[in-house]
Amino acid sequence: MLLTENPATGEALAHFAAADAAAVDRAVAAAAAAQRHWLAMAPAARGRVLYRVAALLRQRVDDLARLEVFDTGKPIQEAPEADIGSAADCFEFFAGLTQVVHGEHMPLTDEAFAYTRREPFGVCAGIGAWNYPLQIASWKTAPALAAGNAMVFKPSELTPLTALKLAEIVEEAGAPAGLFNVVLGAGETGAALTRHPGIAKVSVTGSVPTGRRVMAAAAETLKHVTMELGGKSALVVFADADMDDSVSAAMLANFYTQGEICSNGTRVFVHESIAEEFLARLVERTENILVGDPLDAATQMGPLISAAHLEKVLGFVARAERAGARLLTGGRRLTGDGLGNGHFMRPAIFAACHDGMEIVREEIFGPVMSVLTFAEEEEAVRRANASQYGLAAGLMTRDLARAHRVAAALEAGTVWVNAYNLTPIAMPFGGVKQSGIGRENGLAALDFYTERKSVYVNLGKVEAPY
Ligand code: NDP
């Protein structure tokens, strides 16, 4: 039996059994049957179902947000918009696209032409991380369904609850039973999905090591893969940038959802001429962050996901101090005021970092910011790009030419200019280098849930040399 806990209190929320290979078989068979019905529906009718999913998500936003807060520990300030709202936006966006998943026509000669059909894969698998459970499930499922596929989804064993609610909603909205199927379990259940011959495509959101394992397993049956993996993104603050906005961006890039965000800009490169003032304002505002009960509307940061994860993050902090980075604030566990059974810590800021340090190279996935200084634009870009990862990046400047020059030069799937961590559904999202393969969201996502079939049509005689 697996268990999901409330990270704020350590209380058990639910026990559940892991789906074994036989259960995965049944889920895939049910999804395959449902997919045939789904594809037989007119695209407009499929779109109406997806619109109803979005509407039901919005109707139930309060309950779903509370459930997400219980399971993840993120503050209730965030969940309605960043989690449930993003999920609803995603279903709405792809609902509008069911009728435009169409191919191209290629005129060839007077007597021949070709066209392409955009066809669904059939049954896709989604495997999710624990930081944005409903949002991740939706970012995979909405485009998959819009393109005519079925989806079997495995949420993280740490946060399985809202995916189950999404399954109820998709069926209630009018989708054939089993079109969106949830299987619960840990890595083995994910691996059973990845190996399954009835699944044509796997989309995983998780760490780079998991991505490698999934891709290697998918290679055995040559499945398509989308990989949304980890990062160690850079935020570059130029000397001409608005100071308060830059501090806000750095905090949003590091402390939203307790710092448990894949695209976080955890390497903050600040121009040396403004570093002192930047750090002073940053520390002051960070020390005012309210850490505590995530269900309290005033709380700005909740607990980390688990005791093991808290220990891992605090281990990074301890090693960074030993390596000579200067801890300006935070980085300690919080146990007072009834927080002792949860996994709370104060957000940490390190200065005097250098590029070779572990905290500057490795993904921490917690509220730990490293601040580095630079002198020249070219130097900032080179150092920002010196990473195995390439999920995202940000830059703060008032110089229009510099903004676009640097945005082009940064090796990242997404670059934010004078902003950070905003992910509107119309904008494709995904990584380069070891941060991932493929894109979610935007029109681009449909490319990752469809095959193109080419149809050559001859109107004349068949010419043969025989
Ligand atoms: P993990 O890589 O530990 O797990 C991700 C998912 O994969 C979980 O559901 C996990 O199951 C499952 N899994 C584990 N092993 C296998 C396997 N061999 N085959 C198939 N599935 C498997 O990531 P976390 O859940 O710890 O999430 C944090 C990571 O996710 C960070 O690296 C973060 O950067 C990344 N992430 C990336 C995002 C992006 O969009 N690029 C967004 C959010 C997070 P279980 O955990 O239940 O055992």
Side-chain angles (χ1 to χ4, degrees):
M1 270 294 178
L2 298 171
L3 163 71
T4 175
E5 286 180 354
N6 180 340
T9 61
E11 283 162 341
L13 292 172
H15 293 268
F16 55 97
D20 58 10
V24 168
D25 270 347
R26 288 198 297 279
V28 174
Q35 195 255 342
R36 286 190 285 277
H37 291 292
W38 184 238
L39 201 56
M41 287 167 66
R46 282 190 254 133
R48 283 194 290 276
V49 171
L50 299 183
Y51 276 123
R52 278 197 291 276
V53 174
L56 288 167
L57 286 167
R58 291 218 166 88
Q59 240 173 49
R60 294 175 198 171
V61 58
D62 292 341
D63 288 348
L64 290 166
R66 278 177 70 83
L67 195 58
E68 205 70 304
V69 170
F70 277 128
D71 221 5
T72 62
K74 68 176 65 202
I76 194 74
Q77 274 194 4
E78 297 180 6
E81 191 186 329
D83 294 81
I84 320 308
S86 173
D89 288 353
C90 187
F91 275 96
E92 202 165 63
F93 180 82
F94 287 104
L97 293 179
T98 55
Q99 296 178 79
V100 294
V101 188
H102 45 49
E104 304 117 339
H105 174 265
M106 285 137 281
L108 299 172
T109 67
D110 283 354
E111 294 195 324
F113 67 92
Y115 62 92
T116 56
R117 289 168 51 85
R118 303 279 296 279
E119 297 186 346
F121 291 121
V123 182
C124 302
I127 299 174
W130 43 258
N131 58 340
Y132 277 81
L134 183 68
Q135 189 216 66
I136 290 171
S138 302
W139 285 17
K140 298 187 187 310
T141 303
L145 267 46
N149 299 281
M151 168 68 73
V152 181
F153 186 78
K154 190 202 87 67
S156 163
E157 66 179 302
L158 299 177
T159 56
L161 301 179
T162 48
L164 295 170
K165 289 289 169 199
L166 181 62
E168 288 171 15
I169 286 175
V170 172
E171 197 168 328
E172 194 179 328
L179 186 74
F180 173 65
N181 248 328
V182 175
V183 289
L184 300 183
E188 275 136 57
T189 304
L193 279 173
T194 309
R195 281 193 304 268
H196 201 286
I199 284 174
K201 191 235 158 80
V202 184
S203 175
V204 64
T205 296
S207 61
V208 171
T210 298
R212 285 199 193 100
R213 279 195 285 276
V214 169
M215 202 163 162
E220 282 173 35
T221 41
L222 280 178
K223 288 180 173 54
H224 293 257
V225 292
T226 293
M227 298 271 151
E228 293 289 345
L229 308 179
K232 190 74 193 178
S233 301
L235 169 63
V236 184
V237 180
F238 288 99
D240 68 323
D242 181 278
M243 181 60 77
D244 282 329
D245 282 352
S246 299
V247 171
S248 298
M251 292 174 77
L252 286 166
N254 280 270
F255 301 144
Y256 207 71
T257 311
Q258 300 85 239
E260 297 165 333
I261 296 186
C262 51
S263 50
N264 270 358
T266 44
R267 295 182 292 147
V268 180
F269 290 92
V270 182
H271 192 267
E272 59 188 13
S273 64
I274 57 164
E276 199 177 323
E277 187 187 349
F278 177 88
L279 282 171
R281 293 206 204 179
L282 176 67
V283 169
E284 188 193 336
R285 285 175 59 185
T286 299
E287 288 180 343
N288 285 331
I289 289 179
L290 288 175
V291 182
D293 175 4
L295 283 171
D296 183 332
T299 294
Q300 294 166 317
M301 185 180 285
L304 301 198
I305 189 70
S306 66
H309 189 56
L310 174 65
E311 202 176 309
K312 186 176 151 197
V313 172
L314 293 177
F316 274 107
V317 171
R319 289 193 298 280
E321 287 185 272
R322 284 204 293 279
R326 193 152 45 88
L327 182 62
L328 300 183
T329 183
R332 303 285 181 254
R333 184 170 179 196
L334 280 177
T335 53
D337 299 329
L339 303 183
N341 292 328
H343 320 303
F344 295 88
M345 68 176 281
R346 288 273 347 150
I349 297 171
F350 277 101
C353 301
H354 61 75
D355 296 2
M357 284 177 169
E358 183 194 49
I359 42 161
V360 180
R361 284 183 290 108
E362 305 278 325
E363 181 180 51
I364 300 172
F365 221 57
V368 181
M369 182 193 308
S370 300
V371 179
L372 306 112
T373 56
F374 71 94
E376 302 295 335
E377 176 185 310
E378 173 281 326
E379 173 204 343
V381 169
R382 179 171 38 79
R383 290 170 61 197
N385 287 342
S387 170
Q388 60 168 328
Y389 298 112
L391 189 55
L395 64 105
M396 303 297 295
T397 183
R398 291 186 174 107
D399 179 336
L400 195 63
R402 163 176 279 159
H404 294 290
R405 187 168 62 232
V406 173
L410 288 167
E411 295 167 1
T414 299
V415 177
W416 286 285
V417 177
N418 294 329
Y420 208 91
N421 266 346
L422 298 173
T423 52
I425 300 299
M427 182 177 87
F429 183 80
V432 302
K433 300 201 273 189
Q434 301 216 9
S435 288
I437 294 176
R439 292 291 176 269
E440 297 194 314
N441 294 343
L443 289 175
L446 292 174
D447 284 341
F448 298 94
Y449 285 103
T450 49
E451 295 271 25
R452 275 184 168 76
K453 177 186 281 174
S454 296
V455 181
Y456 181 106
V457 182
N458 174 31
L459 303 176
K461 292 282 296 167
V462 174
E463 286 183 20
Y466 318 109

